[in-house]
Amino acid sequence: MKDDKKEMSRRDVLIGAGTAAVGAAVLSTGVASFVSNAKASGMTVYPYKKLNVEEVGRIAHETYFTKFCAETVLTGLFKPLAKTVGAPYDSYPLNSVFWAHGGMMGWGTACGTLIGAGTAIGLITAGDTTKVTTPGGRKAVPVGEAIINDVIAFYANESLPQYKPAKGQAKAEIKNQSISGTPICHISVGKWMDKEDVKFFGIERKERCARLSADIAGYTAQLLNEWAAGTY
C-alpha cells in the first residue's frame, strides 16, 4: 500500500499535475482573506501585483549568466515586484537561493529553477488557506502547493526551452527543445545536450539554461497572475 501511494504521488507530479490549474476547485475564501489572515497571524506579507510575463522572462534570461538558475528565477519574479510593491521584495536576499544552482550545488538533483520558483510562490501565497483539488479529486492541497506542482509538471512535460530572446540578446543560437520527463537537473540537461550535440560547459548549454530559466519564471508569473485574479 505504501508503494502504491508513492507511485500515485509521483504520477501526480509527472503526469496529472499539469491539469490542476484548469480543474482546480476552490474550497475556501481565497486571495481576499489571504492578506487579512496573514496580517492577523503576524507573518510577513508579500503583497502581489500582476506581473508582466514578458518582462519576467527577459530579466531571468539576462540574469542567468551571472546568477545561474535558482537566483535567476527568483530575481525575474522579485525584481519587478520590488519596483511596483517595494517592501519586502526590495530587501529580500535574492542570493539566499544561489546554492541551488546546478541542481543544488552542482549535484544535478532538482533543477534550481524550481527551487527559485517554489521559494517565490511559497512566500507570496503563504497566508492563503484556500485549498484546491488535485486531478481526479484525489486530495485537497493548499493553493500554493498546487501552483508549485503545476510549475514542476510544466518543467517535466513540456518541450523546452520555449523562450526566444530579443534580437542581439542571445549568447548562442540553439536548435533543439527536449522533454525531460522529470524535474531532475542532470537528466533534463543531458537529454537536451544529446539532441543539440553539445558539451556541458559550452555556451550553447548556458544559453539553453538561461532560456529555460526564463520559461519557468514566466510560467510562474502567469500562474500567480491567475491566482491573484481569482481564476486559477
Side-chain angles (χ1 to χ4, degrees), residues 12-202:
D12 283 347
V13 171
L14 296 182
I15 302 173
T19 62
V22 178
V26 177
L27 303 182
S28 62
T29 52
V31 180
S33 65
F34 152 61
V35 175
S36 59
N37 289 342
K39 288 182 177 178
S41 69
M43 67 182 290
T44 300
V45 178
Y46 283 74
Y48 185 78
K49 287 188 177 181
K50 183 178 179 180
L51 286 165
N52 181 312
V53 174
E54 292 183 4
E55 180 187 18
V56 168
R58 177 184 57 77
I59 293 171
H61 181 266
E62 292 174 354
T63 304
Y64 176 83
F65 297 97
T66 55
K67 302 298 183 181
F68 305 122
C69 47
E71 185 176 345
T72 281
V73 170
L74 193 58
T75 300
L77 295 162
F78 276 18
K79 188 174 181 179
L81 289 168
K83 293 180 179 179
T84 59
V85 177
Y89 298 102
D90 57 2
S91 61
Y92 189 87
L94 297 169
N95 62 356
S96 64
V97 298
F98 180 80
W99 59 271
H101 68 86
M104 300 188 192
M105 292 300 297
W107 282 80
T109 60
C111 179
T113 62
L114 302 176
I115 305 298
T119 298
I121 296 165
L123 290 169
I124 290 167
T125 67
D128 191 344
T129 58
T130 303
K131 290 188 177 181
V132 298
T133 56
T134 56
R138 284 194 282 269
K139 61 181 177 179
V141 299
V143 67
E145 289 189 22
I147 296 171
I148 293 170
N149 205 36
D150 280 354
V151 174
I152 295 171
F154 174 82
Y155 179 100
N157 296 329
E158 293 292 322
S159 292
L160 300 174
Q162 298 174 0
Y163 180 81
K164 298 291 179 65
K167 186 176 181 180
Q169 296 303 305
K171 302 292 184 181
E173 292 303 317
I174 60 176
K175 302 174 183 177
N176 292 288
Q177 297 175 316
S178 61
I179 299 174
S180 68
T182 175
I184 300 302
C185 169
H186 76 88
I187 297 175
S188 174
V189 172
K191 285 184 175 181
W192 180 83
M193 288 192 303
D194 283 345
K195 290 189 72 173
E196 193 76 3
D197 193 25
V198 295
K199 295 182 178 180
F200 181 79
F201 290 106

Side-chain angles (χ1 to χ4, degrees), residues 217-230:
Y219 189 65
T220 300
Q222 176 186 324
L223 295 185
L224 286 172
N225 287 346
E226 293 174 7
W227 167 75

